[in-house]
Amino acid sequence: MTLRKSIFARLNNWFIFTLMTLVVLTIVIASTLLINFLRKEEVKRVDILVSALKFQQEVTTPSLEIQELILQIYSSNTTIPVIILDKDDVPIEHKNIPQEIGGDSKEIVALAKKMAKNYPPIELKFSNQNNQFVYYDNSRLLNNLRYSPYLLGFFILCYFLFSFWFLRTIKKTDEGYLWAGLAKETAHQIGTPLSSMIGWMEIMKLDNPDSEGVHEIEKDIERLRTISERFSKIGSVPELNDMNFNETVHENFTYLKTRISRKIDFSLQLPTYTILVPHNKILMSWVIENLVKNAVDAMKGEGVLSMSVFERNKNILIEVKDNGSGMTKRQAANAFKPGYSTKKRGWGLGLSLAKRVVKEYHNGDIKISQTEVGKGTTFRIMIRKA
């Protein structure tokens, strides 16, 4: 079931990624084609207008039909700004220029020279040498479209940001399903020999029920059962059925205190009142155990280790503080990454799994609140209060 969900999730993510890519490409290509098409069409319209004006000047007595046709060609231009100057730069005709210019000849000429920077003027040559020059520019619509590259740039930037987020999401999703699959498989592999051990244990108890060795083995079997259950729960969405947080923390403290070095001064500070927090006791015990064991390793089996639980605003905070070797900034930044470990034989899985339990299953947070090389480290777990 988990593998099927993983495949569907990845297919869905790739579908969104492909769709966004096609959208961006379509917009870029369509905008480019549209701008080029409009520019060519406007140049064609100006060429037709110039040809009509030239024909009108060359024909001595044009017929009424020809005059009407030329007038229609000239009148049909309602968007492209056109200015006609004679050879002495005296305005002869203008159309579709800004109203604020009005009839000011100097401003009309200045505008015509500005138009010449975008398009060279078209010269109308006549036999009487009274040549004229037609200046033109892009229509307002085409000028507005010049901002489209900036809009496209912004859109593409958003697209790449989305792609970056998308690739990170795929990676995290794959890692999540990998962790879940690995955890379930581990629970399954442990469960098979564990069932056999429990059966043999019952047979040994029949022969010698009061044997100290039998009781010790029974404790180890119970411990293996707890570990198997932890892996089973982290491989699926656990139920947060436990509420008494004091009890969970105290049970862990009692259990761990008897199993760590006597050279470690291990203390616990709990509120005098009961803290109610929806949590999963098995998984939260795992988190606390990971932090305590990391602290013990950092102190090399000797030092001061304290665990405290307190409220702040609407959150419950758990702090595990040691006076061990501490961490560098680089080590602290990578501490929760899967596979990262400062130990020679470490797998780098404990803290990454603890983070998964706290953040994804309990909607909380876990971080290193304080660390200094040679002075120790403080881990802090934050869970929202019920």
Side-chain angles (χ1 to χ4, degrees), residues 35-53 73-74 76-77 79-80 82 119 122 134 136-139 142:
I35 293 173
N36 290 334
F37 173 77
L38 291 175
R39 183 177 286 111
K40 289 179 181 179
E41 287 298 311
E42 290 189 356
V43 171
K44 285 180 182 179
R45 290 179 64 186
V46 172
D47 288 338
I48 294 173
L49 176 62
V50 170
S51 299
L53 293 174
I73 293 173
Y74 187 77
S76 65
N77 175 30
T79 57
I80 304 171
V82 176
Y119 297 98
I122 302 175
V134 179
Y136 67 98
D137 202 352
N138 297 324
S139 64
L142 200 57

Side-chain angles (χ1 to χ4, degrees), residues 341-348:
S341 177
T342 57
K343 307 171 191 175
K344 292 182 179 180
R345 296 185 179 181
W347 288 87

Side-chain angles (χ1 to χ4, degrees), residues 154-168:
F154 174 75
F155 192 83
I156 291 172
L157 176 62
C158 294
Y159 166 74
F160 280 118
L161 291 174
F162 168 80
S163 300
F164 176 74
W165 168 83
F166 164 76
L167 293 174
R168 287 196 65 183

